[in-house]
Amino acid sequence: MKFLIINGPNLNMLGIREPDIYGTQNFRALQRYIYDCCLDEGIEPVLFQSNHEGAIVDRIQAAYRDADGIIINPAAYTHTSVAILDALKAVAIPAVEVHLSEVSARESFRQISYPGMACIRTYAGMGFEGYRQAILFLKEWLQNKQPPI
Ligand code: DQA
């Protein structure tokens, strides 16, 4: 099983960026955490981070008929990007949305998630643990969806 894990803009600044909201661990630590969680579950991880909306759209399209699942933290594009929503719908790869912070308790402009409309589940406010929960959930969801032999 292969998962594409996408992190959006400014997540590469973890550790430096607003540590009171996003924590003190850096992006390298997050990548390592996600990688190890996938390996523990027997999943092949493909990690991708970009600060550019079009690059994220291109990467989702490239996953067509390649990745079994997508885990995405679209970061600020969560609240603006119909293009990322449409890309997820286009490839129709089961996707789970993750946010480090509890977005529902933050500013009003963070209350909408466009990519989330194409995701089967969202984890928010759990820090790094949200990615692990997303990996476990998506793995189980994909396994249960398989027709019995
Ligand atoms: C975020 C929440 C977004 O609102 C914000 O723009 C981010 C990070 C999170 O992980 O909590 O960049 O996606």
Side-chain angles (χ1 to χ4, degrees):
M1 207 179 269
K2 189 196 274 194
F3 285 2
L4 171 63
I5 299 104
I6 299 173
N7 280 298
N10 300 305
L11 289 167
N12 57 314
M13 295 292 283
L14 281 182
I16 297 165
R17 172 190 191 202
E18 300 180 272
D20 47 320
I21 297 174
Y22 299 113
T24 52
Q25 289 191 276
N26 64 19
F27 184 63
R28 200 182 167 87
L30 177 62
Q31 296 276 71
R32 166 60 63 188
Y33 180 86
I34 294 167
Y35 195 84
D36 288 346
C37 288
C38 284
L39 293 194
D40 286 349
E41 294 303 318
I43 291 159
E44 181 187 341
V46 178
L47 303 179
F48 181 75
Q49 190 277 331
S50 179
N51 295 323
H52 304 278
E53 184 177 22
I56 294 171
V57 169
D58 286 344
R59 190 64 193 83
I60 292 168
Q61 290 184 8
Y64 180 63
R65 290 195 169 157
D66 183 45
D68 300 296
I70 294 176
I71 291 172
I72 183 163
N73 182 346
Y77 290 135
T78 304
H79 318 298
T80 60
S81 185
V82 176
I84 293 175
L85 166 64
D86 285 350
L88 290 170
K89 288 170 92 168
V91 297
I93 299 169
V96 174
E97 179 185 27
V98 177
H99 298 285
L100 293 161
S101 66
E102 184 51 88
V103 275
S104 68
R106 298 182 64 191
E107 301 94 327
S108 57
F109 63 83
R110 295 186 203 273
Q111 299 312 309
I112 189 155
S113 170
Y114 290 101
M117 294 174 197
C119 293
I120 52 181
R121 189 153 180 168
T122 297
Y123 291 91
M126 302 172 75
F128 285 16
E129 171 67 14
Y131 289 84
R132 196 175 75 87
Q133 293 296 325
I135 291 161
L136 294 173
F137 173 82
L138 193 52
K139 179 187 170 186
E140 197 179 307
W141 191 91
L142 286 164
Q143 282 171 343
N144 290 341
K145 157 182 150 303
Q146 304 300 326
I149 300 162

